[in-house]
Amino acid sequence: MNSDDEAREAFEVIPAVDVQDGEVVQLVQGERGTEKTYGDPVEAAQRWIDAGAQSLHLVDLDGAFEGERRNADAIDAVLETVDVPTQLGGGIRTAEGAIDLLERGLDRVILGTAAVENPEIVAEISESHPDSVVVSLDAKDGEVVVEGWTEGAGITPVEAAERYAELGAAAILFTNVDVEGQLEGVATEPVRELVDATEIPVIASGGVATLEDVRTLADTGAAAVVVGSALYEGNFTLEDAQAAVNE
């Protein structure tokens, strides 16, 4: 097996459980008011685990927009129910808050705005909890955006990734907001550029509509892809997506 085959063999398809007002939703390009709802978070999480999910991607969308966790009860209910590794983002703004979540059983915290505004938070959390911080780099038009994708940060994803790798980040979650939630396909070049620029794993997100999109992202060298709308809308099954990159 060559290195490309090995990379694809290990590539993981991670279902998204994005929570707004206590319900699972998917947004188009991260904009409130565009959401479609998909029911109870615990039921959704269990559905994906039953379908073979190796881990789950949880997001408190209200927290992402408002700067503090708003769906803690719903997220906690998921964490108490599932037995696979979980990562959570949205409204985690302090090292203390992140460490509290990790000590309560969360496997990884996802930091976006907090990491951009205070990069040292990544090192602070990683010092006591190694391999636990995923830095979320969301990009619009090639620029990292924060505050629920509403403000530009004045830095490119590649520049940011290099900084966070040095500070101990376990992975980069890269979301291309230009294609997020539209079910119109992925943009692979920004993902490939990021993979080539950093030594830590890159998790891709945004725009996945078909099994071919999943295969294409696997071919960039990314470690995983987070999939939301395509799974909830039934474009393909989780089993088929994972099989597509393991063939």
Side-chain angles (χ1 to χ4, degrees):
M1 181 181 291
N2 64 38
S3 59
D4 288 343
D5 291 336
E6 288 173 356
R8 286 183 61 143
E9 184 78 20
F11 187 82
E12 183 183 355
V13 181
I14 307 173
V17 181
D18 296 354
V19 184
Q20 179 176 283
D21 294 329
E23 288 193 303
V24 176
V25 305
Q26 287 289 296
L27 306 181
V28 177
Q29 291 189 297
E31 294 183 8
R32 280 175 152 174
T34 64
E35 62 269 4
K36 291 187 69 172
T37 61
Y38 297 96
D40 178 71
V42 171
E43 291 177 4
Q46 194 59 58
R47 171 186 171 191
W48 300 132
I49 291 171
D50 291 345
Q54 301 168 48
S55 63
L56 291 175
H57 174 84
L58 310 176
V59 180
D60 182 337
L61 287 172
D62 298 302
F65 285 107
E66 296 168 27
E68 58 183 280
R69 295 184 62 217
R70 295 291 188 184
N71 290 283
D73 289 346
I75 297 294
D76 286 348
V78 173
L79 295 178
E80 290 166 7
T81 302
V82 304
D83 58 358
V84 299
T86 51
Q87 57 187 32
L88 169 67
I92 304 170
R93 295 291 196 266
T94 67
E96 293 81 8
I99 290 169
D100 176 65
L101 285 163
L102 293 167
E103 291 182 345
R104 286 163 48 201
L106 186 71
D107 294 275
R108 285 183 169 180
V109 291
I110 303 167
L111 302 181
T113 299
V116 171
E117 293 180 347
N118 175 24
E120 291 301 323
I121 193 175
V122 177
E124 186 178 347
I125 298 166
S126 299
E127 184 175 356
S128 60
H129 293 75
D131 199 37
S132 68
V133 179
V134 177
V135 174
S136 175
L137 298 179
D138 307 330
K140 263 184 183 178
D141 299 323
E143 180 185 12
V144 174
V145 289
V146 295
E147 299 294 351
W149 300 346
T150 60
E151 297 182 15
I155 190 172
T156 70
V158 166
E159 290 168 339
E162 291 170 342
R163 172 195 299 175
Y164 296 117
E166 292 175 358
L167 290 168
I172 298 294
L173 171 68
F174 178 67
T175 301
N176 189 331
V177 181
D178 297 323
V179 297
E180 167 66 20
Q182 298 189 73
L183 291 175
E184 294 179 359
V186 297
T188 57
E189 194 51 42
V191 180
R192 193 181 303 276
E193 184 180 2
L194 200 54
V195 169
D196 290 344
T198 182
E199 295 298 316
I200 60 177
V202 174
I203 304 167
S205 175
V208 172
T210 66
L211 290 176
E212 187 55 35
D213 290 332
V214 176
R215 292 190 193 95
T216 300
L217 285 171
D219 287 339
T220 66
V225 61
V226 173
V227 184
S229 297
L231 288 175
Y232 286 99
E233 287 295 309
N235 288 27
F236 51 78
T237 67
L238 179 60
E239 299 97 318
D240 286 346
Q242 196 63 62
V245 294
N246 290 344
E247 290 170 350

Coordinates of all heavy atoms in Angstrom, one line a residue, residues 38-102:
Y38 N -33.6 19.4 12.0 CA -33.5 18.0 11.9 C -33.7 17.3 13.2 O -33.2 16.2 13.4 CB -32.2 17.6 11.2 CG -32.0 18.1 9.8 CD1 -31.3 19.3 9.6 CD2 -32.6 17.5 8.7 CE1 -31.1 19.8 8.4 CE2 -32.4 18.0 7.5 CZ -31.6 19.1 7.3 OH -31.5 19.6 6.0
G39 N -34.4 17.9 14.1 CA -34.9 17.2 15.3 C -33.9 17.2 16.5 O -33.1 18.1 16.7
D40 N -34.0 16.2 17.3 CA -33.4 16.1 18.6 C -31.9 15.8 18.5 O -31.5 14.8 17.8 CB -34.1 15.1 19.5 CG -33.4 14.9 20.8 OD1 -33.5 15.9 21.7 OD2 -32.8 13.9 21.1
P41 N -31.0 16.5 19.2 CA -29.6 16.3 19.1 C -29.2 14.8 19.5 O -28.3 14.2 18.9 CB -28.9 17.3 19.9 CG -29.9 18.4 20.0 CD -31.2 17.8 19.9
V42 N -29.7 14.4 20.6 CA -29.4 13.0 21.1 C -29.8 12.0 20.0 O -29.0 11.0 19.7 CB -30.0 12.7 22.4 CG1 -29.8 11.3 22.8 CG2 -29.4 13.6 23.5
E43 N -31.0 12.1 19.5 CA -31.4 11.1 18.5 C -30.6 11.2 17.2 O -30.2 10.1 16.7 CB -32.9 11.4 18.1 CG -33.9 11.2 19.2 CD -35.3 11.5 18.9 OE1 -35.5 11.9 17.7 OE2 -36.2 11.4 19.7
A44 N -30.2 12.4 16.8 CA -29.3 12.5 15.7 C -27.9 11.9 15.9 O -27.4 11.1 15.1 CB -29.1 14.0 15.3
A45 N -27.4 12.2 17.1 CA -26.1 11.6 17.5 C -26.1 10.1 17.5 O -25.2 9.4 16.9 CB -25.6 12.1 18.8
Q46 N -27.2 9.5 18.1 CA -27.3 8.1 18.1 C -27.5 7.5 16.8 O -26.9 6.4 16.5 CB -28.5 7.7 19.0 CG -28.5 6.2 19.4 CD -27.2 5.8 20.2 OE1 -26.9 6.4 21.2 NE2 -26.5 4.8 19.7
R47 N -28.2 8.2 15.9 CA -28.4 7.7 14.5 C -27.0 7.6 13.8 O -26.8 6.6 13.1 CB -29.3 8.7 13.8 CG -29.4 8.5 12.3 CD -30.1 9.6 11.6 NE -30.1 9.5 10.2 CZ -30.5 10.5 9.4 NH1 -31.0 11.6 9.9 NH2 -30.4 10.4 8.1
W48 N -26.2 8.5 14.0 CA -24.9 8.5 13.3 C -24.0 7.4 13.9 O -23.2 6.7 13.2 CB -24.2 9.8 13.3 CG -25.0 10.9 12.7 CD1 -25.3 12.2 13.2 CD2 -25.6 10.9 11.4 NE1 -26.0 12.9 12.3 CE2 -26.3 12.1 11.2 CE3 -25.7 9.9 10.4 CZ2 -27.0 12.4 10.0 CZ3 -26.4 10.1 9.2 CH2 -27.1 11.4 9.1
I49 N -24.0 7.2 15.2 CA -23.3 6.2 15.8 C -23.7 4.8 15.3 O -22.9 3.9 15.0 CB -23.3 6.3 17.4 CG1 -22.6 7.5 17.8 CG2 -22.7 5.0 18.0 CD1 -22.8 7.9 19.3
D50 N -25.1 4.6 15.3 CA -25.6 3.4 14.8 C -25.2 3.1 13.3 O -25.1 2.0 12.9 CB -27.1 3.4 14.9 CG -27.6 3.3 16.3 OD1 -26.8 3.0 17.2 OD2 -28.8 3.7 16.5
A51 N -24.9 4.2 12.6 CA -24.5 4.1 11.2 C -23.0 3.9 11.0 O -22.5 3.8 9.9 CB -24.9 5.3 10.4
G52 N -22.3 3.9 12.2 CA -20.9 3.6 12.1 C -19.9 4.7 12.4 O -18.7 4.6 12.1
A53 N -20.5 5.9 12.8 CA -19.6 7.0 13.1 C -18.5 6.7 14.1 O -18.8 6.1 15.1 CB -20.4 8.2 13.6
Q54 N -17.3 7.0 13.8 CA -16.2 6.8 14.7 C -16.0 8.0 15.7 O -15.3 7.8 16.7 CB -14.9 6.6 13.9 CG -14.9 5.5 12.9 CD -13.8 5.5 11.9 OE1 -12.6 5.7 12.3 NE2 -14.1 5.4 10.6
S55 N -16.5 9.1 15.3 CA -16.5 10.3 16.2 C -17.6 11.2 15.8 O -18.2 11.1 14.7 CB -15.1 11.0 16.1 OG -14.9 11.5 14.8
L56 N -17.9 12.3 16.6 CA -18.9 13.2 16.3 C -18.4 14.7 16.4 O -17.5 15.0 17.2 CB -20.1 13.1 17.3 CG -20.9 11.8 17.1 CD1 -22.0 11.8 18.3 CD2 -21.6 11.8 15.8
H57 N -18.9 15.5 15.6 CA -18.6 16.9 15.5 C -19.8 17.7 16.0 O -20.8 17.7 15.4 CB -18.2 17.3 14.1 CG -18.0 18.8 13.9 ND1 -16.7 19.4 14.1 CD2 -18.8 19.8 13.4 CE1 -16.8 20.6 13.8 NE2 -18.0 20.9 13.4
L58 N -19.7 18.3 17.2 CA -20.8 19.1 17.8 C -20.5 20.6 17.8 O -19.4 21.0 18.0 CB -21.0 18.6 19.3 CG -21.0 17.1 19.6 CD1 -21.1 16.9 21.1 CD2 -22.2 16.5 18.9
V59 N -21.6 21.3 17.5 CA -21.4 22.8 17.4 C -22.6 23.4 18.1 O -23.8 23.1 17.8 CB -21.3 23.3 16.0 CG1 -21.2 24.8 16.0 CG2 -20.1 22.7 15.3
D60 N -22.3 24.3 19.1 CA -23.3 25.2 19.7 C -23.4 26.4 18.8 O -22.6 27.4 19.0 CB -22.9 25.5 21.1 CG -24.0 26.3 21.8 OD1 -24.8 27.0 21.2 OD2 -24.0 26.3 23.1
L61 N -24.3 26.5 17.9 CA -24.4 27.6 16.9 C -24.8 28.9 17.6 O -24.2 30.0 17.3 CB -25.4 27.3 15.8 CG -25.0 26.2 14.8 CD1 -26.1 25.9 13.9 CD2 -23.8 26.7 14.0
D62 N -25.7 28.8 18.6 CA -26.0 30.1 19.3 C -24.8 30.6 20.0 O -24.5 31.8 20.1 CB -27.1 29.8 20.3 CG -28.4 29.4 19.6 OD1 -28.9 30.1 18.8 OD2 -28.9 28.3 19.9
G63 N -24.0 29.7 20.6 CA -22.7 30.0 21.2 C -21.8 30.7 20.3 O -21.1 31.7 20.6
A64 N -21.7 30.2 19.1 CA -20.7 30.8 18.1 C -21.1 32.2 17.8 O -20.2 33.1 17.6 CB -20.8 29.9 16.8
F65 N -22.4 32.5 17.7 CA -22.8 33.8 17.3 C -22.8 34.8 18.5 O -22.5 35.9 18.4 CB -24.3 33.8 16.8 CG -24.3 33.3 15.4 CD1 -24.9 32.0 15.1 CD2 -23.9 34.1 14.3 CE1 -24.9 31.6 13.8 CE2 -24.0 33.6 13.0 CZ -24.5 32.4 12.7
E66 N -23.1 34.3 19.7 CA -23.3 35.1 20.9 C -22.1 35.1 21.8 O -22.1 35.9 22.8 CB -24.6 34.7 21.6 CG -25.8 34.9 20.7 CD -27.1 34.3 21.3 OE1 -27.1 34.1 22.5 OE2 -28.0 33.9 20.5
G67 N -21.1 34.3 21.6 CA -19.9 34.3 22.4 C -20.0 33.6 23.7 O -19.0 33.7 24.5
E68 N -21.0 32.9 24.0 CA -21.1 32.1 25.2 C -22.0 30.9 24.9 O -23.0 31.0 24.1 CB -21.6 32.9 26.4 CG -22.9 33.5 26.3 CD -23.3 34.3 27.5 OE1 -23.7 33.7 28.5 OE2 -23.2 35.5 27.5
R69 N -21.8 29.8 25.6 CA -22.5 28.6 25.3 C -24.0 28.7 25.6 O -24.4 29.2 26.7 CB -21.9 27.4 26.0 CG -20.5 27.1 25.6 CD -20.0 25.8 26.3 NE -20.8 24.7 26.0 CZ -21.1 23.7 26.8 NH1 -20.7 23.8 28.1 NH2 -21.8 22.7 26.4
R70 N -24.9 28.4 24.6 CA -26.3 28.6 24.8 C -27.1 27.3 24.8 O -28.2 27.2 25.2 CB -26.9 29.5 23.7 CG -26.3 30.9 23.7 CD -26.9 31.7 24.9 NE -26.6 33.1 24.8 CZ -26.8 34.0 25.8 NH1 -27.5 33.5 26.9 NH2 -26.5 35.2 25.7
N71 N -26.4 26.2 24.4 CA -27.1 24.9 24.2 C -26.4 23.9 25.1 O -26.3 22.7 24.7 CB -27.1 24.5 22.8 CG -28.1 25.3 21.9 OD1 -29.3 25.2 22.0 ND2 -27.5 26.3 21.2
A72 N -25.9 24.3 26.3 CA -25.2 23.4 27.1 C -26.0 22.1 27.5 O -25.4 21.0 27.5 CB -24.7 24.1 28.4
D73 N -27.2 22.3 27.8 CA -28.0 21.1 28.2 C -28.1 20.1 27.1 O -28.0 18.9 27.3 CB -29.4 21.6 28.7 CG -29.4 22.3 30.0 OD1 -28.4 22.3 30.7 OD2 -30.4 23.0 30.3
A74 N -28.4 20.6 25.9 CA -28.5 19.7 24.7 C -27.2 19.0 24.4 O -27.2 17.8 24.2 CB -29.0 20.5 23.5
I75 N -26.1 19.8 24.5 CA -24.8 19.2 24.2 C -24.4 18.2 25.3 O -23.9 17.1 25.0 CB -23.7 20.3 24.2 CG1 -24.0 21.3 23.0 CG2 -22.4 19.7 24.0 CD1 -23.9 20.7 21.6
D76 N -24.7 18.6 26.6 CA -24.4 17.6 27.7 C -25.2 16.3 27.5 O -24.6 15.3 27.8 CB -24.7 18.3 29.0 CG -23.7 19.4 29.4 OD1 -22.6 19.4 28.8 OD2 -24.0 20.1 30.4
A77 N -26.4 16.4 27.1 CA -27.2 15.2 26.9 C -26.6 14.3 25.8 O -26.6 13.1 26.0 CB -28.6 15.6 26.5
V78 N -26.0 14.9 24.8 CA -25.3 14.1 23.8 C -24.1 13.4 24.4 O -23.8 12.2 24.2 CB -24.9 15.0 22.6 CG1 -24.1 14.2 21.6 CG2 -26.2 15.5 21.9
L79 N -23.3 14.2 25.1 CA -22.0 13.7 25.7 C -22.3 12.6 26.7 O -21.5 11.6 26.8 CB -21.3 14.8 26.4 CG -20.8 15.9 25.5 CD1 -20.1 17.0 26.4 CD2 -19.8 15.4 24.4
E80 N -23.4 12.6 27.4 CA -23.8 11.6 28.3 C -24.3 10.3 27.7 O -24.2 9.2 28.2 CB -24.9 12.1 29.3 CG -24.4 13.2 30.3 CD -25.5 13.9 30.9 OE1 -26.7 13.5 30.8 OE2 -25.2 14.9 31.7
T81 N -24.7 10.5 26.4 CA -25.3 9.3 25.7 C -24.3 8.6 24.8 O -24.4 7.3 24.7 CB -26.5 9.8 24.8 OG1 -27.4 10.5 25.6 CG2 -27.1 8.7 24.1
V82 N -23.4 9.3 24.2 CA -22.6 8.6 23.2 C -21.3 8.0 23.8 O -20.9 8.5 24.9 CB -22.2 9.6 22.1 CG1 -23.4 10.3 21.5 CG2 -21.2 10.7 22.6
D83 N -20.7 7.1 23.1 CA -19.5 6.5 23.6 C -18.4 6.5 22.5 O -17.5 5.6 22.5 CB -19.8 5.0 24.0 CG -20.3 4.2 22.8 OD1 -20.5 4.7 21.7 OD2 -20.6 3.0 23.1
V84 N -18.4 7.5 21.6 CA -17.4 7.7 20.7 C -16.7 9.1 20.9 O -17.3 9.9 21.6 CB -17.9 7.7 19.2 CG1 -18.6 6.4 18.9 CG2 -18.9 8.9 18.9
P85 N -15.5 9.3 20.5 CA -14.8 10.6 20.7 C -15.7 11.7 20.1 O -16.3 11.6 19.1 CB -13.5 10.4 19.9 CG -13.3 9.0 19.9 CD -14.6 8.3 19.8
T86 N -15.7 12.8 20.9 CA -16.5 14.0 20.5 C -15.6 15.3 20.5 O -14.7 15.4 21.3 CB -17.7 14.2 21.4 OG1 -17.2 14.2 22.8 CG2 -18.7 13.1 21.3
Q87 N -15.9 16.1 19.5 CA -15.3 17.5 19.6 C -16.4 18.5 19.5 O -17.4 18.3 18.9 CB -14.3 17.6 18.4 CG -14.9 17.4 17.0 CD -13.9 17.5 15.9 OE1 -12.8 17.1 16.1 NE2 -14.3 17.9 14.7
L88 N -16.2 19.6 20.3 CA -17.3 20.6 20.4 C -16.7 22.0 20.2 O -15.7 22.4 20.7 CB -17.9 20.5 21.8 CG -18.8 21.7 22.2 CD1 -20.1 21.7 21.4 CD2 -19.1 21.6 23.7
G89 N -17.4 22.8 19.4 CA -17.1 24.2 19.2 C -18.4 25.0 19.4 O -19.5 24.6 19.4
G90 N -18.1 26.3 19.5 CA -19.2 27.3 19.6 C -19.3 27.9 21.0 O -19.8 27.2 21.9
G91 N -18.9 29.1 21.2 CA -19.0 29.8 22.5 C -18.0 29.5 23.5 O -18.1 29.9 24.6
I92 N -16.9 28.7 23.1 CA -15.9 28.4 24.1 C -14.8 29.5 24.0 O -14.1 29.5 23.0 CB -15.2 27.0 23.8 CG1 -16.3 25.9 23.8 CG2 -14.1 26.7 24.8 CD1 -15.8 24.6 23.3
R93 N -14.8 30.4 24.9 CA -14.0 31.6 24.8 C -12.8 31.6 25.8 O -11.9 32.5 25.7 CB -14.8 32.8 25.0 CG -15.9 33.0 23.9 CD -15.2 33.4 22.6 NE -16.2 34.0 21.6 CZ -16.9 33.3 20.7 NH1 -16.6 32.0 20.6 NH2 -17.7 33.9 19.9
T94 N -12.8 30.8 26.8 CA -11.7 30.8 27.8 C -11.1 29.5 28.0 O -11.7 28.4 27.7 CB -12.3 31.3 29.2 OG1 -13.2 30.3 29.7 CG2 -13.1 32.6 29.1
A95 N -9.8 29.5 28.5 CA -9.1 28.3 28.8 C -9.8 27.5 29.9 O -9.9 26.3 29.8 CB -7.7 28.6 29.2
E96 N -10.3 28.2 30.9 CA -11.0 27.6 32.0 C -12.3 26.8 31.5 O -12.5 25.7 31.9 CB -11.4 28.6 33.0 CG -10.3 29.3 33.8 CD -9.6 30.4 33.0 OE1 -10.1 30.8 31.9 OE2 -8.6 30.9 33.4
G97 N -13.0 27.5 30.6 CA -14.2 26.9 30.1 C -13.9 25.6 29.2 O -14.6 24.6 29.3
A98 N -12.8 25.7 28.5 CA -12.4 24.6 27.6 C -11.9 23.4 28.5 O -12.3 22.3 28.3 CB -11.3 25.0 26.7
I99 N -11.1 23.7 29.5 CA -10.6 22.7 30.4 C -11.7 22.0 31.2 O -11.7 20.8 31.4 CB -9.5 23.2 31.3 CG1 -8.3 23.6 30.5 CG2 -9.2 22.3 32.4 CD1 -7.2 24.4 31.2
D100 N -12.7 22.8 31.6 CA -13.9 22.2 32.3 C -14.6 21.2 31.4 O -14.9 20.1 31.9 CB -14.8 23.3 32.7 CG -16.1 22.8 33.3 OD1 -16.0 22.2 34.4 OD2 -17.2 22.9 32.7
L101 N -14.8 21.5 30.1 CA -15.4 20.6 29.2 C -14.6 19.3 29.0 O -15.1 18.2 29.0 CB -15.6 21.3 27.9 CG -16.8 22.3 27.8 CD1 -16.6 23.2 26.6 CD2 -18.1 21.6 27.8
L102 N -13.3 19.5 28.9 CA -12.4 18.3 28.7 C -12.4 17.4 29.9 O -12.4 16.2 29.8 CB -11.0 18.8 28.4 CG -10.8 19.5 27.1 CD1 -9.5 20.2 27.0 CD2 -11.0 18.6 25.9

